[in-house]
Amino acid sequence: MPDITVLRTGAHGTPMSEYAAALRERLPECDVALARTPADERDLVADARVVTGVDIDEALLSEADELELFAGAYAGYEHLPLDALRERGVAVTNAAGVHAPSAGEQVLGYLLTFARRLHEGWRRQQHREFRHYRAGELKGSTVTVVGLGAIGQGVVQRLQGFDVDTIGVRYTPEKGGPTDEVVGFDDEALHDAFARTDYLVLACPLTDTTSHLVDRAALNTLPPESVLVNVARGGVVDTDALVSALRREDLRGAALDVTDPEPLPEDHPLWNFENVVVTPHTAGQTPEYWNRLADILATNVPRLDADEELQNRVA
């Protein structure tokens, strides 16, 4: 009868065995079981108080008679059967904060790439062209960060020392934040911020409010010399509108770790722009992923026993 069952599906190309090992190290008093097959999962969730993994469907949930906590392995949780979990009285936590260092560093890499036009240098290297080109500086730029959760805050933290102005966008601007200025999602304030933006960084969840937030109107509001950076979800951007803006040279460039559709089809026009950097949803990838996730669960197991508030609880 395990205390904690680790489901078999991995994340970010790393095996769940590493996660299970990290949990055993942090929670030596708990029996941590790793499911390796579908049959294992059905057997091992039956009596477990805690189940952790990328996903749990309703069929597997129906086998989990003693379940008190499902600890999600992703920051996103919209794919989970939340209604069914709620009906069973199961608490749900997510991996928010785990990605902040790696995503923050990746965003900084994108910004420096476009500021110094490193992508143009790489392109010329491919053609063995030793020809100079003009580059800029990140210093003095205005960086707008949409979403001031763990990733957004990680981006702002890493911008310290670069002498840039920062604008944060969040649902509750009255709470303030780590940026020089904070605005909400109402159209007037948002478009005023976009009009002053050199680099627009998307680090927000995909919600009804943020779906296609960067649409044709937003892209028309951004200055032509601005750069779009998306480490949020592909659906935050209207892809067709983005392609049109790039074709009209109404945007200096874009760095996209996420796309809509995803994966990006081989024949998609975004592949063909020299001023677009596409990475395959790697901003959250880090060798510390399982260690950080295990830290969250190791914090929550004693809290579960004491009926205290859980870290990263989302349902």
Side-chain angles (χ1 to χ4, degrees), residues 185-305:
F185 281 95
D186 58 279
D187 289 342
E188 185 173 347
L190 191 66
H191 280 262
D192 176 69
F194 283 3
R196 295 180 281 131
T197 295
D198 297 298
Y199 296 92
L200 177 61
V201 178
L202 305 177
C204 54
L206 180 61
T207 65
D208 290 342
T209 299
T210 63
S211 178
H212 282 195
L213 179 74
V214 181
D215 55 10
R216 194 172 304 277
L219 289 164
N220 287 339
T221 302
L222 287 167
E225 285 300 306
S226 63
V227 173
L228 172 67
V229 174
N230 191 3
V231 293
R233 288 291 184 267
V236 179
V237 177
D238 182 332
T239 302
D240 291 341
L242 174 60
V243 169
S244 296
L246 290 165
R247 283 176 173 159
R248 296 192 310 268
E249 298 186 355
D250 287 342
L251 206 62
R252 177 153 58 100
L256 308 173
D257 190 55
V258 289
T259 58
D260 181 22
E262 187 176 310
L264 199 62
E266 291 183 10
D267 60 350
H268 200 280
L270 281 173
W271 290 116
N272 301 321
F273 291 100
E274 292 180 352
N275 59 341
V276 174
V277 175
V278 178
T279 50
H281 209 142
T282 58
Q285 207 288 320
T286 168
E288 295 301 316
Y289 194 90
W290 294 130
N291 285 328
R292 291 175 186 149
L293 191 62
D295 286 341
I296 294 172
L297 188 50
T299 297
N300 280 335
V301 167
R303 292 185 181 185
L304 190 67
D305 294 336

Side-chain angles (χ1 to χ4, degrees), residues 38-50:
D40 278 351
E41 287 186 336
R42 290 191 295 272
D43 290 342
L44 292 173
V45 303
D47 298 312
R49 293 180 61 211
V50 178

Side-chain angles (χ1 to χ4, degrees), residues 45-113:
V45 303
D47 298 312
R49 293 180 61 211
V50 178
V51 173
T52 183
V54 170
D55 193 8
I56 184 169
D57 60 28
E58 294 195 40
L60 187 60
L61 181 59
S62 68
E63 305 285 338
D65 295 330
E66 305 299 323
L67 186 60
E68 297 178 30
L69 168 64
F70 178 77
Y74 285 161
Y77 51 90
E78 61 276 358
H79 62 289
L80 298 175
L82 295 178
D83 289 340
L85 287 159
R86 200 173 290 113
E87 287 174 8
R88 286 174 160 265
V90 177
V92 179
T93 59
N94 71 350
V98 169
H99 314 84
S102 59
E105 290 178 5
Q106 188 145 326
V107 168
L108 189 57
Y110 293 141
L111 301 186
L112 291 172
T113 292

